[in-house]
Amino acid sequence: MHAIGLAVYPNFQALGLAVASVFEYANLYRGEQAYHFRLVSEEGGPVMTSQGFSVNTDRLRDSTYDTLIVAGDNDGQLPAASLLDYLRHASTESRRIAAICTGAFVLAAAGLLDGKRATTHWRHAQDFRKQYPNVLLDEDRIFVVDGSVWTSAGMTAGIDLALAIVEQDLGLETARAVARKLVVYHRRGGGQSQFSALLELDAKSDRVQMALAHAKAHLGSKLSVESLADVARLSPRQFSRLFREETGQSPAKAVERLRVEAARLMMETTRHPIEVIARETGFGDRERMRQAFLRAFGQSPQAMQRSAGREESVL
């Protein structure tokens, strides 16, 4: 049985509690107590959330944990120094130590992230870098695993991190079953960006939203203004005008952003050659894809893969 402790401190963000359901449903699916989950704090007893209600906790020092997860708060504030001392000690006894969102600030303050790769919520990344320059921060990641230390982005990314823990412990089938039970997609890969082109485009009307959803689902097809306008049930001229009003850019530029996002995810989660990725995401050839990456990221796909240690996949 795996002992999981979720460590909280005053004014923690209650959404972090959602990770408990991942381990609960893993137990239900397996029909056994694969995980023993406990909500813990430094002294035990009630701990106040940032929303103003409290939760009851066990005393952290009363047990040891296979995996100890530190919750985050809304501002990246640190708990008492004595809790940081305990985390340093716990890291030598636990197989994994993890943080959700700004919980990365806590691990960093305890010295547990020095020289390691980590992530946190993108909104707090600049402050994190200033405070902890010895941490290799990558804010554009859902979660990052570096040895025994796991960190995740914003609060919902804690669910992805917990699903990845279940997959490592109990296998892919169990993780997928838990994701279905929670009505979420099977966990996003750690390499997936925190940002979503669809969210950033922020379409208001159903017509433009339908066209964007169609484009994302058919990136390998020819996505002309005429074909997207047909999905939106508008003339090409009406569609182009409405699209630009709502998103601030042309349909062609938006489709390129969707393709770049999809291509980057394929690069991070597969070992397909660049030519295959370019074809699957609708660029057609590697040169068109290279130009799109230069516009979006200021570097080529090959350079991005080299920086991620995936150079062999472009050969």
Side-chain angles (χ1 to χ4, degrees):
M1 182 171 64
H2 304 276
I4 306 286
L6 176 61
V8 299
Y9 49 90
N11 295 315
F12 78 96
Q13 228 297 329
L15 187 55
L17 298 172
V19 300
S21 295
V22 174
F23 302 113
E24 176 188 6
Y25 285 126
N27 288 343
L28 292 173
Y29 176 76
R30 303 277 293 195
E32 61 178 351
Q33 194 75 9
Y35 291 105
H36 178 58
F37 181 89
R38 297 176 69 186
L39 189 61
V40 295
S41 65
E42 185 178 12
E43 299 299 332
V47 175
M48 190 68 68
T49 70
S50 61
Q51 288 96 324
F53 64 87
S54 62
V55 295
N56 196 45
T57 65
D58 295 327
R59 188 170 181 265
L60 185 55
R61 289 173 171 80
D62 289 345
S63 299
T64 58
Y65 304 92
D66 174 76
T67 301
L68 184 60
I69 306 172
V70 179
D73 69 353
N74 289 327
D75 302 308
Q77 299 299 309
L78 297 179
S82 52
L83 178 58
L84 301 182
D85 290 337
Y86 178 80
L87 291 174
R88 294 186 193 100
H89 171 72
S91 67
T92 65
E93 297 184 337
S94 297
R95 180 163 62 98
R96 282 180 298 236
I97 190 160
I100 302 171
C101 194
T102 57
F105 282 78
V106 180
L107 295 190
L112 300 178
L113 297 182
D114 286 351
K116 291 186 176 293
R117 296 172 54 247
T119 192
T120 190
H121 193 292
W122 61 268
R123 189 178 293 276
H124 300 280
Q126 185 174 358
D127 287 340
F128 188 97
R129 281 200 172 92
K130 290 179 181 178
Q131 294 180 45
Y132 307 107
N134 293 329
V135 180
L136 307 176
L137 186 72
D138 189 346
E139 72 270 27
D140 192 22
R141 290 293 180 270
I142 296 298
F143 63 88
V144 169
V145 180
D146 191 334
S148 62
V149 180
W150 300 47
T151 50
S152 78
M155 290 296 174
T156 59
I159 295 175
D160 299 287
L161 182 144
L163 286 167
I165 288 174
V166 169
E167 181 176 332
Q168 186 177 88
D169 291 343
L170 305 178
L172 181 60
E173 180 182 342
T174 299
R176 283 178 172 167
V178 172
R180 287 194 297 270
K181 180 68 174 178
L182 293 173
V183 197
V184 297
Y185 292 110
H186 176 53
R187 71 157 178 88
R188 295 172 289 182
Q192 187 168 336
S193 172
Q194 293 188 33
F195 306 99
S196 166
L198 282 179
L199 288 177
E200 291 181 6
L201 287 168
D202 194 27
K204 305 296 190 301
S205 68
D206 290 344
R207 291 177 185 269
V208 174
Q209 288 179 13
M210 284 192 303
L212 284 170
H214 174 83
K216 188 172 177 64
H218 299 86
L219 291 177
S221 303
K222 182 180 179 181
L223 296 171
S224 64
V225 171
E226 289 75 15
S227 65
L228 294 176
D230 187 59
V231 171
R233 299 185 180 89
L234 293 169
S235 71
R237 184 175 180 179
Q238 289 176 314
F239 174 72
S240 294
R241 183 176 66 251
L242 180 63
F243 194 96
R244 189 176 288 276
E245 287 175 357
E246 294 193 8
T247 69
Q249 58 190 265
S250 68
K253 183 64 176 177
V255 168
E256 181 177 285
R257 288 185 64 188
L258 292 172
R259 284 178 167 148
V260 163
E261 182 178 74
R264 180 176 177 178
L265 179 58
M266 285 188 69
M267 285 167 50
E268 293 169 343
T269 58
T270 74
R271 297 200 176 272
H272 294 318
I274 291 293
E275 289 82 358
V276 172
I277 295 174
R279 184 172 62 251
E280 291 294 318
T281 54
F283 286 110
D285 60 68
R286 61 187 297 156
E287 178 57 24
R288 287 181 60 194
M289 180 170 153
R290 189 181 76 87
Q291 292 296 329
F293 268 63
L294 289 173
R295 286 189 289 270
F297 306 120
Q299 55 183 320
S300 68
Q302 292 89 339
M304 294 183 71
Q305 287 188 317
R306 283 195 295 270
S307 66
R310 299 288 297 277
E311 185 173 8
E312 69 274 11
S313 64
V314 306
L315 299 179

